[in-house]
Amino acid sequence: MKASTIIALGVVLSTSLWANPHTMPSKTYDSIVKTGNEVATNLIQTLGKNLKQHLKSEDPLGAATFCSTQALALTDSVTAQYGKNISVKRISLKARNPVNAAQGSEKVIMEALQNLHSNGVILPKYIVERVDATTAKYYKPLRITKEVCLKCHGNIAENTKLSALLKQTYPNDKATGYTMGDLRGAIVVTISQ
Ligand code: HEC
């Protein structure tokens, strides 16, 4: 056998081995979790800090304007801190911004998490999806744990100005009607090696 054939075979074999998520070495898994935790915490803190500031100085209407104009840019700024192999975003089955709608395997995973949650299971702090030989996705389920979230994701009909603004910006807004404890979505950190 020619050397190049052996190398090619080796690549195919190791690729297929890695593609099986259950053969992932625990060291690789641990490093994915470590990075995922770090990046997700960074995003939560970045968005949380900014939201708090705007809610302090403005009413929910002003803060909602901040969310709609800045949330994605702030999310991208967190991604930019980590180089090209890492990216972070928020997803939901009931998204306000269609850009954040869970897609493909993300949707399957969110539906599974929602199903567990609806059946009274306390969700794990994170889960890991092996996407392919070199890519993994770390998911951090996000629940409504603070009353403040309900200002813009609860029963917002009573705040007519806010619901008009949200309707105008997001004609297909699905992210209302939540109550405390509900599963709102997840933070997804995509990590390639
Ligand atoms: C002041 C209004 C406001 C508050 C308070 C608020 N949000 Fe949002 N939220 C928004 C807006 C507007 C968007 C869409 C932003 C965008 O375009 O990415 C959004 C989007 C999201 C998304 C992304 C998925 C989607 O629906 O597009 C998640 C997850 C989320 N919010 C969770 C929360 C949680 C958890 C809290 C409480 C800590 C919270 N929000 C508080 C206004 C708010």
Side-chain angles (χ1 to χ4, degrees), residues 69-81:
T69 54
Q70 296 300 316
L72 283 176
L74 280 170
T75 305
D76 289 346
S77 78
V78 172
T79 286
Q81 293 170 26

Side-chain angles (χ1 to χ4, degrees), residues 72 90-103 106-107 110 114 152-153 166-167 169-178 183-186:
L72 283 176
R90 292 178 304 166
I91 59 165
S92 179
L93 288 173
K94 285 173 53 181
R96 171 155 287 162
N97 188 336
V99 168
N100 300 325
Q103 312 271 352
E106 292 169 356
K107 194 157 172 257
M110 284 314 296
Q114 180 61 57
C152 300
H153 294 296
L166 289 174
K167 205 164 239 139
T169 320
Y170 308 101
N172 295 316
D173 186 4
K174 297 193 184 77
T176 60
Y178 283 93
L183 180 61
R184 174 69 187 86

Side-chain angles (χ1 to χ4, degrees), residues 95-170:
R96 171 155 287 162
N97 188 336
V99 168
N100 300 325
Q103 312 271 352
S105 63
E106 292 169 356
K107 194 157 172 257
V108 174
I109 286 171
M110 284 314 296
E111 280 166 355
L113 289 173
Q114 180 61 57
N115 199 7
L116 290 171
H117 180 81
S118 304
N119 283 289
V121 173
I122 295 170
L123 297 181
K125 288 203 163 63
Y126 55 81
I127 56 169
V128 171
E129 174 195 9
R130 189 74 184 170
V131 178
D132 61 31
T134 54
T135 311
K137 283 185 183 177
Y138 162 104
Y139 292 71
K140 185 177 198 62
L142 277 183
R143 286 184 308 112
I144 303 270
T145 52
K146 297 194 177 118
E147 293 279 348
V148 69
C149 310
L150 300 178
K151 280 193 203 282
C152 300
H153 294 296
N155 178 12
I156 60 159
E158 45 203 54
N159 188 339
T160 46
K161 275 191 183 160
L162 179 68
S163 47
L165 172 85
L166 289 174
K167 205 164 239 139
Q168 194 189 2
T169 320
Y170 308 101

